[in-house]
Amino acid sequence: MQKKGTAGRTGAGRDRLPRAGTAGTGSRSQATRERILDAAERLFAQRGFYGISVRDITGAAEVDVALASYHFGNKQGLLEAVFMRRAEDLNAERSARLDAVLAAAKGRRPPKIEDVIDAFTHPLLDRSSRGSPGWKSYFALIAEVNNSPEFGGVLMSRFFDPVVEKFIDAIRRALPDCEERDLYWAYHFLSGALTLTFAETGRIDKLSGGACRSSDLDSVHERLVPYCAAGFRALCAAKRATPRPSRTAKSRK
Amino acid sequence: MQKKGTAGRTGAGRDRLPRAGTAGTGSRSQATRERILDAAERLFAQRGFYGISVRDITGAAEVDVALASYHFGNKQGLLEAVFMRRAEDLNAERSARLDAVLAAAKGRRPPKIEDVIDAFTHPLLDRSSRGSPGWKSYFALIAEVNNSPEFGGVLMSRFFDPVVEKFIDAIRRALPDCEERDLYWAYHFLSGALTLTFAETGRIDKLSGGACRSSDLDSVHERLVPYCAAGFRALCAAKRATPRPSRTAKSRK
DNA sequence: AATTTAGTTGAACGTTCGTTGAAATTCAAC
DNA sequence: GTTGAATTTCAACGAACGTTCAACTAAATT
């Protein structure tokens, strides 16, 4: 049940990739890569990795089918290239915003949870609703991958967990008494709420009788931040409340 | 880029399905159906609808490949049958629990949000962690489908939205001043957090350095309920505070 | 201008895809 | 035990799958 395509593979196809440094500088090659990436991004987002063939992608990109293998090695390499292309820009802004929030609260009291969450989510929702159309596909793809047992644990971790750790560390400062596990599970809930939003499945539209629209990401964002902020606080407050530690001795920073 | 399998289909294949009432009563046929459904459930959950072939499924079920078409019409019919098989039992208990929560608060004050959320989520998390192994696959499949642009809006709605509406109505009573859109978006966040949990991708395990385990659904549940309850309250409280409507005139219904 | 290199093309490979048709088997009713 | 329907088997269909190969064009280097 494993291998779908031909099995006649001996090497890996990778050995024929254009060398990273030398190639890709020509504008012709670069344009081809981008066309393929654009099409792959859009189609993978619609039907997932297995639901789209390499020929679907190169056909939509109007390039020869062999160019996918030439530029990205194989289908999985293409998927990872789609992931990587926008991840760098994304992580850079998220990281900078987190730094800014922490710097603004410097020395003084801990940062506000809402500000930390906003620093983490705003770059995403803003690009999805106001960026180029490719961004919307990109996030829809992330939504699908994040909930996939096969790819979720590896791809998401590889590309996004460094900045996620930075986010969790900022929350840790905002809620110094919070237990570690509560912190991570609360992030997990945020991640799930956020990625389902990106999927834009239209289910909420139907359910709400049209009152809510999946594509209205601004409405989502202004609710997601207070929702999750309250969730973070509730989890941490609960743990401080029940075992009832002396509260003067325990509340240390 | 659309049709993957053969295109020579004229009718629908459905016309050869065993008639619902007469067939399926024989224990031989019923056992075959269940074997196929079990295998499909497990494999679809692992790699999604397109990542698994009909031959993968019938091979794992150790039945002839033609039996999938015979019993379920086609591949999509098989997916829907997998969905349907456990949905009825699930919806029945969720609905009964919601009724119980509402009945317990009858006449008196509104029900507690935590109780409503628990009635909605407990039947799922309990079956996933303590039910037969098929249940875990079932929920992992739901996690993937819920975040799929292609299937999320239709399959989830078809099988689960009736009881979801009942859930939202119960929350509406718990938070009578809440605006409709806030209610639906808050449910959306709950749905995302819940379904990402079901995916059990292992990402949280890595991220937390082993402190959290994806498979520890009890830990998730005892955090999901207060997290989302606080989120619901925060959304509704926010709307009551800022625009300050007369609150007697606006509290509709 | 000649030669190397990067990029592209079109065709083909062996395999797997979803589905079907006809024949064979099993079962229930008589 | 025969009949008729329900179920299972086996083989095959044409299409689509991921990938590769050798030939070819365009660009860069000498």
XYZ file of all heavy atoms in Angstrom, chain B residues 42-89:
377
model
N -9.404 3.345 9.254
C -8.017 3.427 9.725
C -7.108 4.073 8.681
O -6.301 4.957 8.997
C -7.533 2.015 10.052
C -6.117 1.927 10.570
C -5.830 0.557 11.184
N -6.118 -0.534 10.260
C -5.265 -0.985 9.337
N -4.071 -0.413 9.226
N -5.582 -1.985 8.550
N -7.263 3.665 7.429
C -6.330 4.140 6.403
C -6.647 5.568 5.956
O -5.735 6.375 5.765
C -6.342 3.176 5.217
C -5.818 1.781 5.574
C -5.995 0.823 4.410
C -4.356 1.847 5.979
N -7.911 5.890 5.779
C -8.275 7.272 5.454
C -7.754 8.219 6.532
O -7.316 9.333 6.242
C -9.790 7.416 5.327
C -10.351 6.941 4.013
C -11.674 6.504 3.922
C -9.581 6.946 2.859
C -12.205 6.080 2.710
C -10.109 6.522 1.640
C -11.424 6.088 1.575
N -7.838 7.782 7.781
C -7.358 8.638 8.870
C -5.862 8.881 8.747
O -5.374 9.962 9.070
C -7.683 8.002 10.222
N -5.136 7.885 8.270
C -3.679 8.023 8.203
C -3.224 8.926 7.057
O -2.338 9.754 7.238
C -3.026 6.645 8.032
C -2.994 5.822 9.307
C -2.498 4.405 9.055
O -1.909 4.111 8.008
N -2.741 3.522 10.005
N -3.807 8.742 5.888
C -3.291 9.492 4.741
C -4.359 10.224 3.944
O -4.082 10.712 2.842
C -2.537 8.550 3.795
C -1.456 7.740 4.529
C -0.218 7.582 3.710
N -0.446 7.028 2.401
C 0.498 6.910 1.479
N 1.718 7.335 1.751
N 0.228 6.376 0.320
N -5.546 10.311 4.457
C -6.567 11.087 3.766
C -7.235 10.321 2.637
O -6.830 9.223 2.273
N -8.255 10.930 2.076
C -9.069 10.268 1.060
C -8.264 9.915 -0.181
O -8.324 8.797 -0.692
C -10.235 11.185 0.682
C -11.152 10.626 -0.355
C -12.003 9.574 -0.064
C -11.166 11.153 -1.639
C -12.863 9.057 -1.024
C -12.026 10.647 -2.603
C -12.868 9.593 -2.291
N -7.467 10.852 -0.660
C -6.726 10.627 -1.897
C -5.431 9.854 -1.671
O -4.855 9.328 -2.627
C -6.417 11.949 -2.585
C -7.642 12.702 -3.031
C -8.021 13.885 -2.410
C -8.417 12.221 -4.077
C -9.147 14.579 -2.828
C -9.541 12.910 -4.493
C -9.900 14.088 -3.866
O -11.016 14.777 -4.279
N -4.973 9.803 -0.438
C -3.709 9.131 -0.147
C -3.840 7.630 -0.014
O -2.842 6.926 0.132
N -5.069 7.143 -0.057
C -5.338 5.716 0.100
C -6.159 5.236 -1.089
O -7.121 5.894 -1.485
C -6.096 5.469 1.420
C -5.186 5.753 2.618
C -6.635 4.050 1.485
C -4.000 4.821 2.724
N -5.767 4.102 -1.626
C -6.510 3.559 -2.753
C -7.526 2.529 -2.271
O -7.423 2.000 -1.169
C -5.547 2.902 -3.742
O -5.006 1.733 -3.194
N -8.494 2.282 -3.120
C -9.484 1.263 -2.802
C -8.795 -0.084 -2.589
O -9.183 -0.863 -1.713
C -10.523 1.173 -3.932
C -11.507 0.048 -3.670
C -11.261 2.496 -4.071
N -7.747 -0.320 -3.344
C -7.016 -1.580 -3.169
C -6.274 -1.637 -1.841
O -6.141 -2.697 -1.242
C -6.036 -1.764 -4.337
C -6.702 -2.245 -5.606
C -5.679 -2.401 -6.723
N -6.272 -2.976 -7.927
C -6.941 -2.292 -8.830
N -7.115 -0.995 -8.668
N -7.454 -2.894 -9.893
N -5.764 -0.507 -1.383
C -5.181 -0.478 -0.041
C -6.197 -0.973 0.982
O -5.888 -1.760 1.879
C -4.780 0.962 0.323
C -3.579 1.470 -0.475
O -2.818 0.636 -0.987
O -3.425 2.700 -0.580
N -7.408 -0.471 0.839
C -8.446 -0.759 1.828
C -8.890 -2.208 1.762
O -8.889 -2.924 2.768
C -9.645 0.189 1.617
C -9.221 1.623 1.919
C -10.824 -0.234 2.485
C -10.206 2.666 1.459
N -9.256 -2.669 0.562
C -9.722 -4.049 0.457
C -8.596 -5.029 0.749
O -8.836 -6.117 1.272
C -10.305 -4.314 -0.937
O -9.345 -3.948 -1.940
C -11.577 -3.513 -1.151
N -7.374 -4.624 0.450
C -6.239 -5.472 0.793
C -6.103 -5.630 2.294
O -5.929 -6.736 2.813
N -6.196 -4.501 3.017
C -6.095 -4.562 4.474
C -7.273 -5.334 5.065
O -7.127 -6.012 6.088
C -6.043 -3.149 5.050
N -8.421 -5.207 4.431
C -9.610 -5.913 4.925
C -9.622 -7.375 4.488
O -10.472 -8.150 4.930
C -10.878 -5.219 4.429
N -8.689 -7.719 3.612
C -8.593 -9.087 3.095
C -9.884 -9.532 2.413
O -10.390 -10.622 2.657
C -8.206 -10.075 4.204
C -6.829 -9.786 4.793
C -6.437 -10.773 5.892
O -7.090 -10.743 6.951
O -5.494 -11.547 5.691
N -10.391 -8.635 1.575
C -11.546 -8.991 0.749
C -11.237 -8.577 -0.688
O -10.296 -7.815 -0.931
C -12.835 -8.288 1.228
C -13.152 -8.653 2.664
C -12.729 -6.788 1.051
N -12.018 -9.064 -1.602
C -11.796 -8.736 -3.002
C -12.069 -7.258 -3.263
O -12.954 -6.662 -2.657
C -12.692 -9.596 -3.890
C -12.318 -9.487 -5.354
O -12.806 -8.549 -6.015
O -11.523 -10.331 -5.811
N -11.279 -6.704 -4.181
C -11.364 -5.266 -4.428
C -12.738 -4.860 -4.969
O -13.212 -3.738 -4.718
C -10.253 -4.825 -5.400
C -10.405 -5.493 -6.749
C -10.241 -3.316 -5.561
N -13.387 -5.763 -5.669
C -14.685 -5.420 -6.256
C -15.765 -5.233 -5.198
O -16.801 -4.613 -5.462
C -15.098 -6.495 -7.253
N -15.532 -5.753 -4.013
C -16.571 -5.674 -2.987
C -16.782 -4.251 -2.477
O -17.859 -3.910 -1.977
C -16.229 -6.604 -1.827
C -16.395 -8.083 -2.181
C -15.851 -8.969 -1.067
C -17.856 -8.392 -2.429
N -15.766 -3.422 -2.622
C -15.939 -2.035 -2.203
C -16.992 -1.354 -3.070
O -17.893 -0.684 -2.563
C -14.606 -1.292 -2.291
N -16.881 -1.538 -4.374
C -17.879 -0.957 -5.263
C -19.244 -1.603 -5.044
O -20.274 -0.929 -5.070
C -17.460 -1.150 -6.719
O -16.231 -0.507 -6.968
N -19.232 -2.903 -4.828
C -20.511 -3.598 -4.667
C -21.284 -3.076 -3.454
O -22.474 -2.798 -3.535
C -20.278 -5.098 -4.526
C -21.536 -5.879 -4.279
C -22.454 -6.094 -5.303
C -21.822 -6.370 -3.019
C -23.629 -6.797 -5.076
C -22.997 -7.079 -2.781
C -23.890 -7.295 -3.817
O -25.051 -7.986 -3.578
N -20.596 -2.890 -2.355
C -21.295 -2.520 -1.119
C -21.491 -1.016 -0.959
O -22.443 -0.588 -0.314
C -20.547 -3.057 0.094
C -20.713 -4.530 0.312
N -21.884 -5.071 0.796
C -19.888 -5.562 0.083
C -21.748 -6.392 0.877
N -20.552 -6.723 0.447
N -20.592 -0.229 -1.528
C -20.653 1.208 -1.254
C -20.739 2.066 -2.514
O -20.686 3.284 -2.414
C -19.445 1.626 -0.415
C -19.322 0.861 0.877
C -18.416 -0.179 0.993
C -20.135 1.164 1.958
C -18.304 -0.900 2.172
C -20.037 0.445 3.133
C -19.129 -0.593 3.254
N -20.865 1.437 -3.668
C -21.036 2.206 -4.889
C -19.727 2.680 -5.472
O -19.317 2.255 -6.542
N -19.056 3.566 -4.754
C -17.735 4.012 -5.203
C -16.938 4.507 -4.001
O -17.387 4.409 -2.856
C -17.856 5.091 -6.281
C -18.697 6.264 -5.815
O -18.793 6.533 -4.621
N -19.300 6.955 -6.741
N -15.767 5.024 -4.282
C -14.849 5.383 -3.191
C -15.442 6.461 -2.281
O -15.344 6.382 -1.061
C -13.529 5.858 -3.799
C -12.406 5.993 -2.798
C -11.153 6.528 -3.466
C -10.024 6.690 -2.471
N -8.830 7.323 -3.087
N -16.057 7.445 -2.893
C -16.661 8.516 -2.104
C -17.798 7.987 -1.238
O -17.966 8.395 -0.088
C -17.174 9.617 -3.031
C -18.013 10.673 -2.334
C -17.338 12.022 -2.277
O -16.391 12.294 -3.026
N -17.797 12.875 -1.382
N -18.567 7.053 -1.785
C -19.626 6.441 -0.997
C -19.078 5.693 0.204
O -19.699 5.678 1.276
N -17.919 5.107 0.026
C -17.268 4.425 1.138
C -16.867 5.420 2.221
O -17.069 5.181 3.418
C -16.045 3.656 0.606
C -15.137 2.981 1.620
C -15.918 2.083 2.562
C -14.061 2.172 0.906
N -16.309 6.538 1.801
C -15.942 7.567 2.786
C -17.165 8.022 3.574
O -17.127 8.139 4.803
C -15.307 8.759 2.068
C -15.009 9.975 2.948
C -13.927 9.669 3.962
C -14.605 11.186 2.113
N -18.249 8.256 2.886
C -19.448 8.723 3.573
C -20.015 7.658 4.504
O -20.541 7.965 5.575
C -20.493 9.162 2.539
C -20.059 10.424 1.806
C -20.988 10.791 0.654
O -22.111 10.274 0.595
O -20.560 11.604 -0.201
N -19.890 6.396 4.080
C -20.356 5.317 4.945
C -19.532 5.238 6.220
O -20.060 4.974 7.303
C -20.304 3.986 4.196
N -18.226 5.485 6.090
C -17.366 5.520 7.270
C -17.831 6.630 8.205
O -17.953 6.439 9.413
C -15.895 5.737 6.863
C -15.047 6.052 8.071
C -15.349 4.516 6.148
N -18.098 7.776 7.620
C -18.574 8.903 8.419
C -19.872 8.570 9.138
O -20.049 8.847 10.314
C -18.786 10.111 7.510
C -17.834 11.217 7.778
C -16.525 11.111 7.350
C -18.235 12.357 8.453
C -15.633 12.126 7.611
C -17.344 13.371 8.714
C -16.042 13.264 8.290
N -20.780 7.991 8.394
C -22.128 7.792 8.917
C -22.165 6.745 10.017
O -22.920 6.864 10.967
C -23.049 7.373 7.767
C -24.510 7.361 8.173
S -25.608 7.417 6.739
C -24.497 7.218 5.357
N -21.352 5.716 9.892
C -21.469 4.572 10.786
C -21.484 4.965 12.257
O -22.290 4.485 13.031
C -20.325 3.582 10.521
C -20.368 2.386 11.453
C -19.455 1.275 11.003
N -18.042 1.637 10.947
C -17.038 0.765 11.103
N -17.320 -0.507 11.321
N -15.782 1.151 11.007
N -20.574 5.857 12.648
C -20.473 6.188 14.071
C -21.178 7.492 14.422
O -21.283 7.841 15.602
C -19.009 6.295 14.479
C -18.205 5.025 14.214
C -16.852 5.106 14.890
N -15.943 4.073 14.431
C -15.794 2.887 15.033
N -16.529 2.597 16.089
N -14.939 2.008 14.568
N -21.626 8.220 13.409
C -22.198 9.542 13.683
C -23.492 9.435 14.482
O -23.748 10.254 15.376
C -22.442 10.277 12.369
N -24.270 8.426 14.189
C -25.570 8.316 14.837
C -25.431 8.122 16.347
O -25.992 8.858 17.149
C -26.332 7.139 14.222
C -27.834 7.272 14.327
C -28.523 6.198 13.476
O -27.942 5.816 12.431
O -29.600 5.749 13.872
N -24.619 7.145 16.699
C -24.357 6.879 18.112
C -23.826 8.118 18.815
O -24.228 8.479 19.918
C -23.366 5.710 18.209
C -22.709 5.635 19.566
O -23.444 5.628 20.570
O -21.461 5.581 19.625
